[in-house]
Amino acid sequence: MSNWIHAGPQIAAAFLGSSVEAIEAMTIVLAAGLVRGWRPALIGTAAGLATLTAIIVVFGPAIAAIPVAYLQIVVGSALLLFGIRWLRKAILRSAGVVAHHDESAIYAREASTLARSDGVSTRWDVVAMLTAYKAIVLEGLEVVMIVIGVGAVGNVLLPASVGALAACALVAAAGALLHRPLARVPENTLKYIVGIMVTAFGWFWFGEGIGIHWPYGDLAIVGLMAVLYVTSALAVRASRGVRMFSDANVEGSP
Amino acid sequence: MNAITSTVRALIGLFFDDGELALQILALLAATALMAKAEVSASWTSIALLVAGTLIILLLNVTRAARNR
């Protein structure tokens, strides 16, 4: 029980990160189901989930065999790269430099592509099956990465997995009830929060792996998140300022 | 074959969305590991390099992206 309380930040990171990925996968599965038919979309989804399960069963035990210091370095580096990528995107979206992720637009684009695809929609509609399969496998692998990243080193793989599964179940239930993409979920804010959490975990695990003694132990992660939050807020303001200055220069030029 | 190629590309994209940013971060991690190894007790200097280095790389990257959009 104490392990589960101790794992609060990891569960939260797994839940939030997985919900973003689940929403993205659900948008594509919905498009495949509504445009080409539910049976092939669900077959593709089931096949995708089976592939993910096989990957976890095959590669999962290998993680336990890796020495902790190496695991911390590898997982820490991967988390840092992964987290910085999300944080960068979230900063640029918040600053108005790149467009916000729009599930409705993605759904419309995917539905249009599926409607134009060759082949008749049948029980074994390969186009719909492959579309759903690819979405589930790719977004699912990101979920697996997040769970392994935040859970493997701290020995909280089970709580992190439960957090991720809860997010996926919640999104799937919402999709089944609403039959439309979850466009109102503040996906950029979620990505921002997860980017901060995952980057902080990445710093912490990589540091531990190379022998850094973090002040206040695990509590240092909270401090690292605070540093990231303040700096990323500054980065949003700076990027917005640079963008407005560039726009003004373009408009002012003859 | 196309599906496999696009899947592999998407997998690599999980970590290397912006190649330059990823390479700078990897170089910083290598430098931090070397510094930690050289220190008697790996702590403040390595922490400062790791944290400040990452933040500077991120700040420079996003402001450059804002300028070049």
Side-chain angles (χ1 to χ4, degrees):
Chain A
M1 185 66 193
S2 67
N3 197 31
W4 283 72
I5 295 167
H6 181 74
Q10 283 94 330
I11 296 172
F15 180 87
L16 295 175
S18 304
S19 61
V20 172
E21 302 304 336
I23 288 168
E24 289 178 6
M26 197 199 67
T27 299
I28 297 170
V29 172
L30 268 179
L34 290 171
V35 175
R36 309 280 302 196
W38 281 108
R39 194 184 289 267
L42 291 176
I43 291 171
T45 301
L49 290 173
T51 305
L52 284 174
T53 308
I55 290 170
I56 292 165
V57 168
V58 171
F59 293 106
I63 292 167
I66 302 172
V68 174
Y70 290 123
L71 191 63
Q72 285 173 328
I73 291 173
V74 172
V75 167
S77 306
L79 280 183
L80 192 50
L81 289 169
F82 193 78
I84 282 289
R85 179 177 154 261
W86 276 33
L87 198 50
R88 175 183 179 273
K89 259 189 195 162
I91 289 169
L92 292 175
R93 281 179 182 151
S94 298
V97 176
V98 295
H100 275 247
H101 196 88
D102 183 350
E103 289 301 327
S104 297
I106 292 168
Y107 173 83
R109 195 171 59 230
E110 198 66 43
S112 158
T113 308
L114 283 162
R116 278 187 277 114
S117 297
D118 291 336
V120 187
S121 182
T122 61
R123 176 191 274 197
W124 300 105
D125 183 344
V126 179
V127 175
M129 277 196 289
L130 278 180
T131 303
Y133 177 81
K134 196 176 159 192
I136 293 292
V137 171
L138 284 179
E139 305 300 345
L141 279 175
E142 291 204 52
V143 170
V144 171
M145 258 301 305
I146 292 168
V147 170
I148 290 174
V150 299
V153 186
N155 203 22
V156 288
L157 211 45
L158 184 63
S161 306
V162 170
L165 284 174
C168 294
L170 201 65
V171 170
L177 283 173
L178 297 174
H179 270 222
R180 64 166 189 264
L182 302 180
R184 294 179 72 178
V185 174
E187 213 177 318
N188 197 52
T189 308
L190 285 179
K191 271 202 163 163
Y192 201 148
I193 295 167
V194 177
I196 285 175
M197 293 179 100
V198 169
T199 304
F201 278 116
W203 272 341
F204 187 81
W205 291 134
F206 180 80
E208 291 259 301
I210 61 172
I212 285 177
H213 302 292
W214 292 99
Y216 308 107
D218 288 2
L219 266 182
I221 295 174
V222 179
L224 292 172
M225 286 180 195
V227 169
L228 273 166
Y229 175 72
V230 171
T231 313
S232 56
L234 286 172
V236 170
R237 297 188 85 172
S239 303
R240 193 176 291 143
V242 170
R243 175 183 64 85
M244 289 166 81
F245 183 74
S246 300
D247 288 352
N249 271 354
V250 169
E251 280 168 20
S253 63
Chain B
M1 195 63 194
N2 263 353
I4 295 170
T5 312
S6 71
T7 305
V8 171
R9 203 169 284 162
L11 278 177
I12 294 169
L14 293 182
F15 307 99
F16 299 99
D17 192 15
D18 178 327
E20 198 178 328
L21 176 69
L23 285 177
Q24 286 170 345
I25 294 288
L26 287 175
L28 175 73
L29 293 180
T32 311
L34 286 175
M35 177 168 274
K37 208 174 176 187
E39 278 185 296
V40 180
S41 168
S43 53
W44 285 108
T45 329
S46 305
I47 291 173
L49 178 65
L50 179 64
V51 173
T54 309
L55 296 176
I56 289 167
I57 290 170
L58 179 64
L59 270 170
L60 291 176
N61 185 283
V62 293
T63 48
R64 195 174 54 239
R67 201 170 36 243
N68 296 339
R69 81 187 184 112

